Amino acid sequence: MINRFSALILALSIVLASCSREESGGATQPTEGMNSEATWAKLTPEEAIDPFTHANYNDVRVTNVDLDLEVRFDEKVLVGAAEIDFERLNAEATTLVLDANDLSISKIEAHSNDAWVEAEFSLGEDDPVIGSRLEISLPDGADRIRVTYSTSPEAEGLQWLSPEQTAGKEHPFLFSQFQPMLARSMAPLQDTPAVRMTYSARIQTPPELIALMSARQDEGGGRDGDYSFKMSQPIPSYLLAIVVGDIEFKAINDHIGVYAEDYILDASAAEFADTPAMEDANAALYGPYRWGRYDMIVLPPSFPFGGMENPRLSFLTPTLIAGDKSLTNVVAHELAHSWSGNLVTNATWRDAWLNEGFTSYVENRVMEALYGEDRAIMERALDLETLKRAVAEADRPELTALKMPADLEHPDDAFSQVSYAGGMFFLKFLEERFEREVFDAFIKGYFDHFAFQSITTEDFLVYFEDNLWTNYPNAVTKAEIDAWIFEPGLPATIGNPQSDAFDRVSAQQAAWLGAGNLDGIETSAWTTHEWLHFINTLPSDLTLENFAALDDRFALSASQNAEIAYAWYMKAIPAGYEPAFEPMDAFLMRVGRGKFIYRLYQKLVDQEKRVWAETVYERARPGYHPIAQRRIDAIFSE
Ligand code: BES
Ligand code: ZN
């Protein structure tokens, strides 16, 4: 029986199919192969289209890119060429459409009948969200094109640091951040997660610097300014990545290691010493790591994220180096993306939960395997609080279901805690209903089945129905699943992680507030998580005397643990607790991680500390990443 939802999809597909162009080669037959018994249906290519790309990837699809680029620090540009292979899905297609953002293109040639001939192209206007459309006329039989170009010094996906902005102070530094759609500011590409490609690169740098990419580096050479890379597994463009700087390496085992500036190398290797055990735990659950080496690089503090899962080389913020491994769930997270995200990829940013929700779930399973259930529960409990806040603060209800709405304004909107913690709690719900052993085997099968593919939420649902739900039809209802995926708000079936450790912290907090002095409070065994719970749950009417008492005893304003310091400042701002402001100033000057600084600036502005915040931002802004500058500029221009 066709239920209401499938009927709607079917009707929609027919309408879309009938107004789609003929030449899309029959790919728009919505009912073909559709099981009329099925609960959910796959999307047609038109329905699954990524709105954040200009690319005509359903007609002509990029399969490989070979980059040849010179890194010019004096001009802050990459100069060179990109050679691009593609396949024609539609034999009649005569153009290849790529994405470009702030690129200066001097020439485009096409390889046809064994010769390179100049190709006509047009570069469209710069759309503020998705950049420019680069349309290239394809001569008959062309199978490869070459674009000669340079990037802009303002390329949003690249940060160029002067020597003064590095720890070593002697050499400049360059790093990329391309997720979700900034690879197009480094090279002309079909910059959508729906398209997967292999790549190679030759990168020339000043001879004293090292270049690294999200790919296998050719052996030999050493530090000579001429580096070659190859990624032979097909990846989406947002996983391209490059770093250039005065970087050192320390091995953790024979295929895992860490790169960093010298000052933090040993501390990083010590902090991340459990990475091999994380890999083992991941592999035991979901099958072998398929990317060869796994290295990490600890970037300068302006890196705007906690971590970024670039294949073979996760990028990490130095704020993870707490000295006690308490923040290494971020490593577990980025490593987990080697299965969820990099192997099986969201086809559009509307499906971001397939990347981030799955990864948050796997991360939590790995943390449980390594450090025990108590820690995993504490991390979930902290996540549930931020999820509730994200749902309450969402700009519109559609942004609180896992499948993001068709009219999503910007891919960034898909990366709230809804996709992360919401996705994780959804998978926890399934794990509980189908039982762990069965569910683990299903997820492993899912990664194998869709390995090296880009898929939509609907592909997941169809696979889920065929491979799990059919076998245990009473474990969940359609309504329960739909509530998670398609309906706004927190589903009724969400779990409630019960942490005994947090309960003990809460009891101590209550006793302290009741007694009015801190003498009875015993914190020596608290981990970072317990501190975070304690700070996050401080009552909003806490007196300035209470703030001062806590600070005197526990030096929270001066905490070198970035998570603890951040949580404390978020409480200190609305309370007007002045002694926190000087250390907060130093924090905002030192830390460029978006998760902390966006919310701090926002809170300062909301709490009438705008003038103070502006003076800090004026000093800090030149050191922030372009992505962070754009976000914080927007906060001040509200
Ligand atoms: N892929 C994300 C980072 C990202 C998301 C970059 C969206 C650009 C757009 C990465 O895996 C991530 O989720 N990092 C988190 C850490 C995690 C433990 C929640 C972060 O940066 O805080
Ligand atoms: Zn992630």
Side-chain angles (χ1 to χ4, degrees):
M1 216 188 77
I2 297 183
N3 61 37
R4 230 175 51 187
F5 182 72
S6 326
L8 189 74
I9 289 286
L10 188 68
L12 203 71
S13 314
I14 291 167
V15 172
L16 279 167
S18 62
C19 39
S20 71
R21 291 164 303 144
E22 286 293 325
E23 63 267 14
S24 28
T28 60
Q29 300 304 312
T31 51
E32 203 178 76
M34 198 171 99
N35 176 359
S36 61
E37 298 289 325
T39 307
W40 296 285
K42 291 191 185 180
L43 298 184
T44 64
E46 282 72 22
E47 289 168 313
I49 204 83
D50 176 0
F52 301 106
T53 178
H54 293 287
N56 61 339
Y57 62 92
N58 282 334
D59 287 340
V60 182
R61 186 169 296 206
V62 168
T63 55
N64 175 68
V65 179
D66 297 317
L67 298 168
D68 185 349
L69 295 169
E70 187 194 331
V71 182
R72 293 194 189 158
F73 279 101
D74 47 351
E75 298 162 62
K76 300 189 176 175
V77 292
L78 305 175
V79 183
E83 288 191 17
I84 298 173
D85 300 299
F86 50 85
E87 63 188 15
R88 292 168 197 250
L89 306 182
N90 169 6
E92 260 108 77
T94 56
T95 61
L96 168 64
V97 183
L98 305 178
D99 295 296
N101 187 349
D102 246 348
L103 302 178
S104 303
I105 295 171
S106 53
K107 186 165 62 166
I108 301 188
E109 297 148 285
H111 185 83
S112 165
N113 303 321
D114 281 333
W116 286 101
V117 290
E118 201 139 328
E120 279 180 38
F121 69 93
S122 69
L123 187 60
E125 263 172 54
D126 179 26
D127 179 280
V129 178
I130 64 172
S132 304
R133 173 187 172 91
L134 174 58
E135 182 164 336
I136 304 159
S137 301
L138 296 176
D140 276 350
D143 55 1
R144 187 169 165 85
I145 57 145
R146 183 195 293 152
V147 182
T148 306
Y149 73 101
S150 84
T151 62
S152 153
E154 276 78 49
E156 218 184 304
L158 299 171
Q159 189 181 20
W160 300 85
L161 297 175
S162 65
E164 303 73 53
Q165 290 173 295
T166 67
K169 309 271 182 240
E170 261 180 57
H171 300 284
F173 201 101
L174 165 69
F175 68 87
S176 66
Q177 171 54 46
F178 293 154
Q179 196 185 17
M181 51 170 181
L182 290 171
R184 62 192 72 173
S185 71
M186 188 250 207
L189 293 165
Q190 290 191 321
D191 194 11
T192 163
V195 172
R196 309 183 78 92
M197 59 187 195
T198 51
Y199 82 89
S200 78
R202 178 181 182 205
I203 303 293
Q204 288 173 275
T205 72
E208 64 280 11
L209 300 184
I210 294 271
L212 301 170
M213 293 190 82
S214 53
R216 183 171 50 74
Q217 181 146 21
D218 280 1
E219 306 272 316
R223 211 182 256 239
D224 64 356
D226 191 345
Y227 305 97
S228 295
F229 304 89
K230 194 166 177 59
M231 169 47 75
S232 46
Q233 290 147 306
I235 58 163
S237 55
Y238 74 86
L239 294 177
L240 275 169
I242 181 167
V243 194
V244 180
D246 182 17
I247 304 160
E248 307 285 339
F249 174 75
K250 188 161 181 171
I252 293 178
N253 72 11
D254 65 349
H255 67 285
I256 299 178
V258 51
Y259 291 92
E261 282 189 86
D262 186 52
Y263 84 104
I264 203 171
L265 185 67
D266 289 338
S268 301
E271 198 84 23
F272 305 147
D274 295 346
T275 311
M278 290 177 175
E279 186 205 331
D280 291 345
N282 238 314
L285 283 166
Y286 306 119
Y289 177 76
R290 305 196 199 198
W291 303 87
R293 290 197 59 87
Y294 180 74
D295 292 317
M296 295 160 271
I297 178 159
V298 178
L299 289 170
S302 63
F303 179 56
F305 293 98
M308 176 65 214
E309 66 270 27
N310 298 312
R312 297 175 61 102
L313 183 66
S314 287
F315 285 16
L316 300 170
T317 166
T319 60
L320 303 185
I321 315 300
D324 60 1
K325 299 182 180 172
S326 63
L327 307 179
T328 56
N329 68 298
V330 177
V331 173
H333 180 97
E334 305 315 333
L335 174 65
H337 271 306
S338 307
W339 287 260
S340 42
N342 299 3
L343 195 60
V344 180
T345 307
N346 53 210
T348 82
W349 303 118
R350 292 180 63 196
D351 307 296
W353 79 275
L354 291 178
N355 276 21
E356 298 303 346
F358 267 81
T359 298
S360 300
Y361 172 80
V362 174
E363 164 201 333
N364 196 256
R365 291 294 304 274
V366 167
M367 295 307 282
E368 179 184 323
L370 261 71
Y371 307 109
E373 209 183 354
D374 288 352
R375 177 161 176 180
I377 292 176
M378 287 196 284
E379 295 189 351
R380 290 206 299 281
L382 291 169
D383 281 345
L384 182 58
E385 292 314 310
T386 56
L387 173 61
K388 284 179 181 161
R389 193 182 63 205
V391 169
E393 287 177 359
D395 285 340
R396 52 192 185 117
E398 294 90 323
L399 297 174
T400 66
L402 290 176
K403 176 84 187 190
M404 290 290 139
D407 59 348
L408 191 68
E409 274 173 40
H410 193 286
D412 287 353
D413 298 340
F415 289 89
S416 79
Q417 276 296 82
V418 171
S419 293
Y420 284 85
M424 173 186 71
F425 280 109
F426 171 52
L427 296 172
K428 271 282 164 209
F429 158 74
L430 294 181
E431 177 198 318
E432 199 198 28
R433 289 291 184 86
F434 290 94
E435 294 183 4
R436 190 171 263 203
E437 207 179 322
V438 170
F439 189 64
D440 286 355
F442 164 72
I443 295 294
K444 179 170 190 291
Y446 162 81
F447 289 139
D448 286 340
H449 181 81
F450 290 114
F452 298 106
Q453 293 183 42
S454 299
I455 66 166
T456 62
T457 299
E458 288 74 9
D459 293 326
F460 164 78
L461 287 173
V462 169
Y463 183 83
F464 162 78
E465 176 164 13
D466 293 348
N467 294 279
L468 186 60
W469 197 23
T470 333
N471 305 335
Y472 304 89
N474 300 323
V476 293
T477 67
K478 173 183 186 314
E480 286 171 334
I481 302 290
D482 284 343
W484 282 96
I485 306 273
F486 297 112
E487 288 158 27
L490 283 186
T493 55
I494 192 165
N496 187 17
Q498 275 302 318
S499 163
D500 297 341
F502 282 3
D503 289 347
R504 287 191 294 273
V505 170
S506 295
Q508 291 220 52
Q509 190 190 75
W512 158 52
L513 291 169
N517 73 65
L518 283 167
D519 295 346
I521 207 162
E522 177 48 56
T523 62
S524 56
W526 286 7
T527 64
T528 297
H529 302 82
E530 284 150 308
W531 273 111
L532 292 175
H533 176 71
F534 178 80
I535 296 169
N536 290 342
T537 56
L538 286 172
S540 55
D541 59 355
L542 200 68
T543 63
L544 291 176
E545 290 70 34
N546 281 331
F547 271 95
L550 284 174
D551 218 4
D552 285 349
R553 175 119 176 243
F554 304 115
L556 294 170
S557 292
S559 175
Q560 291 305 298
N561 183 306
E563 293 279 355
I564 292 177
Y566 160 75
W568 178 246
Y569 300 149
M570 288 297 281
K571 292 287 175 179
I573 295 168
Y577 175 61
E578 288 295 332
F581 279 68
E582 208 179 292
M584 192 185 340
D585 183 327
F587 182 93
L588 289 165
M589 292 297 293
R590 181 174 78 237
V591 173
R593 184 174 173 188
K595 168 178 144 178
F596 301 138
I597 65 178
Y598 304 156
R599 293 195 80 86
L600 283 173
Y601 282 112
Q602 185 70 60
K603 187 121 222 151
L604 287 161
V605 168
D606 293 347
Q607 299 292 326
E608 291 169 22
K609 294 281 181 193
R610 175 187 279 266
V611 176
W612 184 84
E614 262 164 359
T615 64
V616 179
Y617 185 45
E618 213 177 281
R619 279 179 282 120
R621 189 180 187 280
Y624 288 159
H625 191 280
I627 292 173
Q629 293 179 346
R630 178 171 59 83
R631 289 281 284 263
I632 303 167
D633 287 352
I635 293 173
F636 283 110
S637 68
E638 266 164 21

